[in-house]
Structure formats: structure tokens, C-alpha cells
Amino acid sequence: MVYKIGMRIVDARFLKSVDRYEGKGREPLPEICFIGRSNVGKSSMINTLVARKVARTSSIPGATRLINLYQVDYEFEGLKKSLIVSDFPGFGYARVPKEMREGWQQMIEAYIEDNRAITQIIWVFDVRREMDPLDEMLLEWLSANGIGFRLVLTKIDRETRSAVAQKKIRFQSVTGEGNPPLLFSAKDGQGKHELLSHIARSAKSTFSRD
Ligand code: GTP
Ligand code: MG
């Protein structure tokens, strides 16, 4: 079982908040982006993964307005490494005015298109929800741009085991056989080690979009 090898977090710290990609011309660290609906648990997931409270969380949707960048130092397969984690503002929050929603979408798309160091998108999805047209748009956009992503079904502590298992199978038919959804709970830490190993392996992959 590959995930037992494990990624060990050494340190994690906030770098800065940005509204565009600022790293042109610099030697980039591999970057893993956390995206998903508003209030789904992106910031909580990051905090649980790094075992520190680096990202601001809130029960009020729309807590994260800019793209927040964190540097994570870790050990994996006996080597010391670093990567960037980016915490994105949630999309699809109905109470935000239309122009602002479109602005967010443009910011997110431009950032991902400009930043060639992104090796993986972690798409955070509430296990209790179904995909709607907005999610399908995201799925199409990721596929059309050849951006590697992994769907992570979160808040699994809120559902029965059998409901979680059924959802996993159902979403796998959307994400593809070789790309099964991962399961996670920020509340009790289920799925944390599998997701960490996935992230460490993704950070090793070459930048496939160049
Ligand atoms: P925005 O930045 O507003 O888009 O939200 P976000 O996706 O970063 O969500 P955040 O991490 O702030 O969490 C939103 C709410 O969900 C908070 O009240 C969290 O405590 C709760 N939450 C997050 N993850 C879990 C989980 O795995 N289980 C449970 N039960 N609650 C969770
Ligand atoms: Mg957030």
C-alpha cells in the first residue's frame, strides 16, 4: 500500500495573498491548488493536512476572497522538499453579485492558465452534494485545458459509510477509471494520509502543460 510511505510535514507558513500569478521568471516550486464551491471546506482541508492552523476558515461562505499562498516544507521518500499550496476563493456562492462572481472566475482561470508550476488541482467537493451545471463547467474546463485534477469528497463524517461508498463509485464514472475520488474529513482526519501521499506524488510529476 503506497500511501503508508507517507509525506511528513516539516513546516507550513503563509506567504501572501494574490489576485494574479506573480511568479513569472522565477524558478517555481511545484504548486497544488485547492479549488471548489464556497464553504465546502478547502481551507479546513489545508489546515488538517499540514496539522497547523495556517488558513482562515469560517462557517460564513466567502471567507477566502483572494488566492492565499502557503509554503509547505516536507519530507517524502527520504528527501526534504518544498511546495506551494494555494487556497482559492470558493465559487458558486449565490449571494455574491454576478459581476463579482464573474471576476472571481476570471481571476481563478487566469491564475491557473498563467502558472505553469501547477502540477495538480485538488477539487474539493461536499460528499452530500450532487454535481450541478457549474461543477460540470469546471470539469469541462479542467479537461479542455489538460489540467490534472483529483476530486476529493469531503465532510464524509457527515454521511453514512454506505452513502459515501456509493457516491465514490458514482463520481468515478465522471472523473474516470484511473482517477478515483479520494475521501476526506477535516473533522476527524479520515483520508489525510492518502491525500498527503497523493499530493507528494503529484508534486514530483513534471509540468505537463508546457
Ligand atoms: P470559502 O473560503 O468560503 O470558500 O470556504 P472553504 O471552502 O475554505 O471552507 P472552510 O474550510 O472555511 O469551512 C467551511 C465550514 O465547513 C466551516 O464551518 C468548517 O468547520 C466546516 N467543515 C470543513 N470541513 C469539514 C469536515 O470535513 N467535516 C465537517 N463536519 N465540517 C467541516
Ligand atoms: Mg476558504
Side-chain angles (χ1 to χ4, degrees):
M1 284 196 280
V2 180
Y3 63 81
K4 287 263 155 78
I5 296 166
M7 174 197 200
R8 194 177 76 80
I9 304 294
V10 176
D11 192 21
R13 58 196 172 278
F14 173 73
L15 287 180
K16 60 180 170 179
S17 302
V18 298
D19 66 357
R20 72 200 65 207
Y21 177 57
E22 294 178 349
K24 282 200 178 82
R26 262 187 269 145
E27 185 59 42
L29 291 171
E31 181 163 330
I32 313 288
C33 303
F34 288 69
I35 73 174
R37 306 294 284 230
S38 183
N39 212 37
V40 70
K42 299 174 293 296
S43 302
S44 303
M45 182 175 285
I46 291 169
N47 287 338
T48 297
L49 290 172
V50 301
R52 287 158 182 77
K53 197 171 173 349
V54 290
R56 206 176 120 228
T57 62
S58 170
S59 56
I60 302 159
T64 311
R65 293 287 172 130
L66 292 166
I67 300 166
N68 290 320
L69 306 180
Y70 303 89
Q71 181 168 330
V72 179
D73 304 327
Y74 64 101
E75 283 177 12
F76 185 61
E77 297 173 339
L79 296 171
K80 286 201 166 89
K81 296 183 174 196
S82 298
L83 56 78
I84 303 295
V85 157
S86 43
D87 185 10
F88 276 55
F91 67 85
Y93 174 40
R95 271 196 279 165
V96 165
K98 192 163 171 268
E99 308 82 69
M100 206 190 261
R101 246 184 296 164
E102 284 169 358
W104 283 358
Q105 193 180 331
Q106 277 164 14
M107 172 172 79
I108 290 167
E109 288 186 5
Y111 184 88
I112 295 173
E113 280 163 11
D114 287 349
N115 186 346
R116 315 310 285 185
I118 294 169
T119 59
Q120 181 78 181
I121 305 278
I122 301 298
W123 180 4
V124 188
F125 197 95
D126 189 326
V127 71
R128 298 167 299 178
R129 285 190 57 249
E130 297 297 334
M131 288 207 181
D132 70 10
L134 205 55
D135 299 305
E136 278 152 18
M137 260 171 58
L138 174 63
L139 184 63
E140 262 172 43
W141 181 77
L142 290 170
S143 309
N145 285 279
I147 301 166
F149 74 91
R150 184 60 73 106
L151 190 70
V152 181
L153 304 177
T154 192
K155 304 195 183 182
I156 62 166
D157 58 280
R158 295 272 188 90
E159 271 287 16
T160 63
R161 270 171 184 272
S162 64
V164 170
Q166 277 172 28
K167 272 282 171 63
K168 184 179 171 178
I169 291 167
R170 198 134 48 81
F171 282 130
Q172 186 158 348
S173 65
V174 177
T175 56
E177 274 303 309
N179 195 19
L182 294 175
L183 306 175
F184 191 84
S185 165
K187 198 170 177 196
D188 61 21
Q190 286 182 80
K192 172 176 164 168
H193 296 291
E194 289 89 333
L195 182 51
L196 278 175
S197 292
H198 171 68
I199 287 169
R201 283 196 304 275
S202 303
K204 278 173 63 177
S205 65
T206 50
F207 307 150
S208 57
R209 291 185 296 137
D210 284 336

